[in-house]
Amino acid sequence: MLKFILGRAGSGKTYTVFKIIEKQLSEKKQNIVLLVPEQFTFECEKQLLKSCGTLASRVDVVGFTQLCENIFNDLGGGAGRHVDESIRNILMGQAIKSVKDDLKIYSRYWESSDFIVQMVAAVTELKQAAVDAKTLVNLTENLDNGILNNK
């Protein structure tokens, strides 16, 4: 069941939510998910522990980010842990190093950090445009043996 409780500050929304949760916990054996703003999860868990005691362990207090992560973990479809920019650059550097002997136009830049950053940006742009590796390879097969093909 999904319930929205709306109102101004101080109108009793939190009190009402905790009373509903207490009632649900005493009547049913199933767990409850309480969706709150990210910055309010810890405070909400403390208040739940005060009002519900040990039954509070059956309430999963989550923000939107954690809710999405839980759903992805339970049902699949999540990309897993995200790689930050520095790791992305390290991986791109390793990828470029592995093909450095095949590089034509950019062969002298394979160790350049600026070149690595530009290649990461290019990959990001291609992903955003939904261009996968197979499509890119297919497009390059139709190029003449000129500068663009060597890139």
Side-chain angles (χ1 to χ4, degrees):
M1 169 178 50
L2 175 66
K3 280 191 173 185
F4 291 97
I5 299 176
L6 308 171
R8 291 189 212 175
S11 64
K13 296 181 301 294
T14 304
Y15 176 81
T16 303
V17 168
F18 287 148
K19 287 300 172 192
I20 292 170
I21 289 173
E22 286 177 44
K23 184 178 178 197
Q24 292 287 325
L25 289 174
S26 64
E27 293 175 358
K28 297 180 181 177
K29 297 291 183 201
Q30 69 189 75
N31 292 342
I32 296 172
V33 176
L34 178 58
L35 182 62
V36 297
E38 304 282 346
Q39 67 273 17
F40 189 58
T41 54
F42 180 69
E43 189 61 38
C44 190
E45 286 173 342
K46 282 187 354 186
Q47 290 179 9
L48 265 174
L49 192 56
K50 280 183 186 175
S51 66
C52 300
T54 57
L55 290 176
S57 64
R58 291 187 19 226
V59 179
D60 197 9
V61 180
V62 295
F64 287 103
T65 303
Q66 186 63 49
L67 177 66
C68 291
E69 191 172 306
N70 291 350
I71 291 170
F72 286 145
N73 288 338
D74 290 347
L75 302 176
R81 296 185 69 126
H82 295 279
V83 178
D84 67 10
E85 201 65 31
S86 59
I87 300 295
R88 201 172 282 123
N89 290 339
I90 290 169
L91 292 172
M92 180 59 76
Q94 292 298 316
I96 292 170
K97 183 179 179 182
S98 72
V99 297
K100 70 178 183 182
D101 295 334
D102 297 327
L103 295 176
K104 296 174 183 166
I105 293 182
Y106 298 113
S107 60
R108 61 183 165 173
Y109 301 112
W110 74 271
E111 286 185 300
S112 165
S113 59
D114 288 338
F115 179 66
I116 291 169
V117 169
Q118 287 178 350
M119 291 300 102
V120 168
V123 168
T124 301
E125 190 174 336
L126 289 167
K127 285 180 180 179
Q128 289 171 345
V131 177
D132 61 0
K134 187 177 179 181
T135 304
L136 199 56
V137 168
N138 289 340
L139 290 171
T140 60
E141 289 174 354
N142 297 330
L143 292 175
D144 295 333
N145 198 14
I147 293 176
L148 187 57
N149 191 28
N150 289 334
K151 287 184 177 183

